[in-house]
Amino acid sequence: MTAGSLAALVALGAFHGLNPGMGWLFAVARGLQERDRSRVLQSLPAIAAGHAASVGAVAILVGLTRSVVTTRAIAVGGGAALVAFGLWRLLSRRHFRWVGMKISLWQLAAWSFLMSSAHGAGLMLLPVLTGAPAPPGHDHGLTAGLSAGLFVTGVHTLAMFATAGTIAVLVYEVVGLTILRRAWLNMDRLWAAALIGAGTTTLLTA
């Protein structure tokens, strides 16, 4: 993997961590609900695990199916899905609502997986995943593809976790939830535009 690809993984992870829809807002809400910062910190690994599962499913699938035809099909199909999903998010007036219910860490991880999948988190890595050269040899290729998928997932999730964790603690300690409604709307539109941009890049380079 090139330095540029690695930097892209970290940047995308940081971008996902910045997005309140990826979980840091829910971590802050849990902390404020119980007036306990430890609830914020406990929530973050569960959120990261759910995000990693969503991203890893795409990364490993691409890593294991590295034939030229399959890679191109995934790139074209994934790029089209990115653009379509981004347009839907950009034009949709529906937004996820934050509620006051209490949930377990397992439920939070499952929620994070579904939220990340709904936002197309794994799909955004397609330009990096499909741009990497295919490893030679069938058996070696499968092992290398699996390792590459796990590596990509790990680097991306670590960047997401560090960014989301920093923001969650700062917001909990300093800002609170009262002024975040407008910021959520802005991030939602920015996220949709990023999806469209990533999809267009994937289609152009497929």
Side-chain angles (χ1 to χ4, degrees):
M1 179 172 290
T2 66
S5 296
L6 187 61
L9 282 178
V10 174
L12 283 171
F15 181 72
H16 287 173
L18 283 170
N19 188 355
M22 289 294 143
W24 66 257
L25 184 56
F26 208 162
V28 173
R30 291 187 80 232
L32 291 177
Q33 185 180 44
E34 301 190 29
R35 301 178 182 274
D36 186 356
R37 186 174 62 180
S38 67
R39 295 296 184 183
V40 179
L41 301 177
Q42 290 170 6
S43 300
L44 293 168
I47 291 169
H51 185 82
S54 176
V55 170
V58 175
I60 291 173
L61 175 63
V62 173
L64 291 177
T65 58
R66 295 299 309 192
S67 72
V68 175
V69 174
T70 302
T71 298
R72 184 174 177 82
I74 291 175
V76 172
L82 275 172
V83 173
F85 200 89
L87 287 172
W88 177 78
R89 293 290 297 166
L90 186 64
L91 300 175
S92 175
R93 295 185 178 182
R94 298 176 59 188
H95 299 279
F96 295 102
R97 301 297 180 184
W98 301 96
V99 294
M101 66 179 65
K102 294 183 179 181
I103 63 174
S104 69
L105 293 179
W106 284 107
Q107 291 171 322
L108 183 59
W111 169 87
S112 176
F113 173 82
L114 293 175
M115 184 70 79
S116 298
S117 299
H119 278 83
L123 292 177
M124 289 197 73
L125 301 183
L126 280 175
V128 177
L129 294 167
T130 58
H138 178 69
D139 293 335
H140 176 70
L142 289 177
T143 302
L146 179 60
S147 298
L150 292 174
F151 176 77
V152 165
T153 302
V155 171
H156 174 82
T157 303
L158 183 60
M160 176 266 183
F161 176 77
T163 304
T166 300
I167 293 174
V169 172
L170 287 175
V171 170
Y172 177 81
E173 295 289 350
V174 180
V175 182
L177 291 175
T178 56
I179 66 172
L180 290 179
R181 189 164 295 180
R182 184 177 299 276
W184 159 259
L185 293 175
N186 290 339
M187 283 300 298
D188 205 43
R189 295 300 182 239
L190 180 60
W191 176 255
L195 282 171
I196 296 170
T200 301
T201 300
T202 302
L203 288 173
L204 292 176
T205 58

